[in-house]
Amino acid sequence: MDQPIGVIDSGVGGLTVASELMRQLPKEKLIYLGDTLRCPYGPRPKEEVIQFTMEMVDFLLKKDIKLLVVACNTATAFTLELLQEKLAIPVIGVIQPGARAAIKMTQKMQIGVIGTEGTIASKAYPEALHSINSEIEVHDLACPLFVPMVERGVLNGPDAYSVIEDSLHSIKEKQQIDTLILGCTHYPLLKDTIQAVVGDAVHIISSGEETAREVSAIMGYHQTLYEGERIPMHEFYTTGSWEVFQQIANNWLNIPINIIENANIVID
């Protein structure tokens, strides 16, 4: 089926999911929309997150997408069930795939979760983890400084290390944690620095790989995979300034600048 896959995120973080989709499904076209103008979503009220997410979804539906990936954890927590009920196409979030990957990895049954204020307050990850294994002990922590730092393009170096070390102080003290879920798709862009702070003994889980695997399985089940031969031309959109978006897209996805089209759009 020649329709594209739609991916939405509050900003650039969903590029970590897009990267995995491109790697695992190299013939599928993606249309990505990052709401950088109104990022971050984490501190926003639930009703506002729902409104913004629905506006992004409406934009992508006009592109005739065949499947929607909600790559933002906060938006997943607040809108996934609503979207799955409302839309006629499959809708996949990032929380359940991340939870399943963490449970496969942990040996001590002690899992840490870091995310935005909205994601942590929603308790979506503890609920997802406990729905699979009620004996898992979950230690969650909001890290509100991470998303703005990524959106500024500060991904490593002394400043990033200092912010991450201060933010993770309390969770680092919990020596029993052997697995840490990056409960925001922005956070994998900080993965190397986060790993340096928490130590090599802690396994870090980002949901991109598992989410892409789930997308592949669902499209295989619905027989909507593209079966021809092509190098797809992806489309990337952002609601705000495109300079940092372009820089991170190029660094993370290793794609040429000219693939990023019509960047400066504003959602009504």
Side-chain angles (χ1 to χ4, degrees), residues 22-37:
M22 293 163 68
R23 186 180 70 84
Q24 294 188 33
L25 297 166
K27 296 189 291 186
E28 297 292 340
K29 177 179 177 177
L30 303 185
I31 300 182
Y32 180 99
L33 173 57
D35 193 6
T36 53
L37 182 67

Side-chain angles (χ1 to χ4, degrees), residues 121-241:
S122 75
K123 295 298 178 183
Y125 271 101
E127 290 175 7
L129 290 162
H130 291 149
S131 71
I132 301 170
N133 187 334
S134 61
E135 296 182 3
I136 293 288
E137 187 169 349
V138 183
H139 310 267
D140 53 7
L141 175 69
C143 299
L145 299 181
F146 287 11
V147 170
M149 187 165 64
V150 170
E151 291 288 329
R152 293 196 308 271
V154 180
L155 308 180
N156 47 50
D159 290 344
Y161 189 95
S162 178
V163 169
I164 291 170
E165 186 176 42
D166 289 345
S167 298
L168 299 186
H169 176 74
S170 63
I171 207 166
K172 188 179 177 182
E173 289 182 334
K174 296 179 171 63
Q175 297 296 325
Q176 67 270 35
I177 290 174
D178 68 347
T179 304
L180 178 65
I181 297 175
L182 305 183
C184 174
T185 48
H186 283 72
Y187 294 2
L189 291 163
L190 303 169
K191 181 179 179 180
D192 290 345
T193 308
I194 292 172
Q195 188 77 75
V197 169
V198 301
D200 292 336
V202 177
H203 298 286
I204 291 183
I205 301 294
S206 58
S207 56
E209 184 175 346
E210 290 293 320
T211 301
R213 188 174 294 116
E214 187 162 318
V215 169
S216 179
I218 288 177
M219 291 202 306
Y221 175 79
H222 289 287
Q223 298 183 331
T224 56
L225 289 165
Y226 181 78
E227 296 181 350
E229 294 296 329
R230 66 174 176 185
I231 299 176
M233 292 295 293
H234 308 294
E235 297 177 26
F236 292 85
Y237 298 86
T238 176
T239 58
S241 174

